[in-house]
Structure formats: structure tokens, C-alpha cells
Amino acid sequence: MSEPDSKVAKDLTMVMETTMKNLQSQFQTLSGQLVSRMDEMGTRIENLEKNVSDLMTQAGLEGHQTTKHLRYLAEEDRTHSSASRSKH
């Protein structure tokens, strides 16, 4: 390999390394934002489920099957959310 070819190869390597580092940084930023938004959505869903449950209680439907189903779904959601967060 001649000297100019060697310089071109080194320059190309540096450009590729810089590009890969930038992509990795952007991916980590987006990944963190996604996890944060998923946590926020989980909190909102839990609050919504609680509000629905409270409204059903106020309406006299406390023992109704729907309340039990909502609690089951909330527990399933927490289980899946915990599992996905532990992977990160």
C-alpha cells in the first residue's frame, strides 16, 4: 500500500469510528427517552385504572367482574414493565 492510500485508509477509519460513536450516542439517547416515556405511560395507565376503579366503586360496582379484570390487567402490566426495565 502506498503512503497516500494508507492516509486515505486511516482517514476513512477515523470517519467511520466517529460516525459509529455518534450513532451509538444517538441510539443510547433515544433508548433512554423511550424507557422514560414507557415508565411515564405506565404511571398514567395505573392512575387511569385507579380512577376507573374508584368511579366503579362510587357507582356501586365494586364487586363487579370488570373491577377484578382491571386489577388483573394492571398486575400483568406491572409484571411486563418490570421485566422489560430489568433488561435495560
Side-chain angles (χ1 to χ4, degrees):
M1 205 188 266
S2 69
E3 193 172 315
D5 289 341
S6 177
K7 174 145 176 46
V8 169
K10 287 179 184 177
D11 289 347
L12 183 58
T13 299
M14 287 178 56
V15 168
M16 290 304 297
E17 286 177 357
T18 301
T19 301
M20 294 304 291
K21 286 178 183 177
N22 288 339
L23 285 172
Q24 182 178 9
S25 175
Q26 290 174 0
F27 179 78
Q28 287 175 334
T29 299
L30 289 173
S31 180
Q33 289 173 347
L34 180 61
V35 169
S36 176
R37 288 180 183 173
M38 288 173 54
D39 288 342
E40 181 182 334
M41 186 61 68
T43 300
R44 287 181 177 184
I45 289 171
E46 288 173 4
N47 290 338
L48 179 61
E49 290 170 340
K50 183 184 180 318
N51 289 336
V52 168
S53 179
D54 290 347
L55 288 171
M56 291 176 71
T57 299
Q58 290 174 8
L61 300 173
E62 184 175 14
H64 194 269
Q65 186 65 27
T66 305
T67 304
K68 293 176 186 175
H69 184 67
L70 283 173
R71 288 183 183 140
Y72 170 79
L73 291 175
E75 184 59 35
E76 284 291 307
D77 182 58
R78 280 190 286 277
T79 302
H80 292 297
S81 293
S82 296
S84 68
R85 279 190 289 247
S86 65
K87 290 179 183 177
H88 298 287

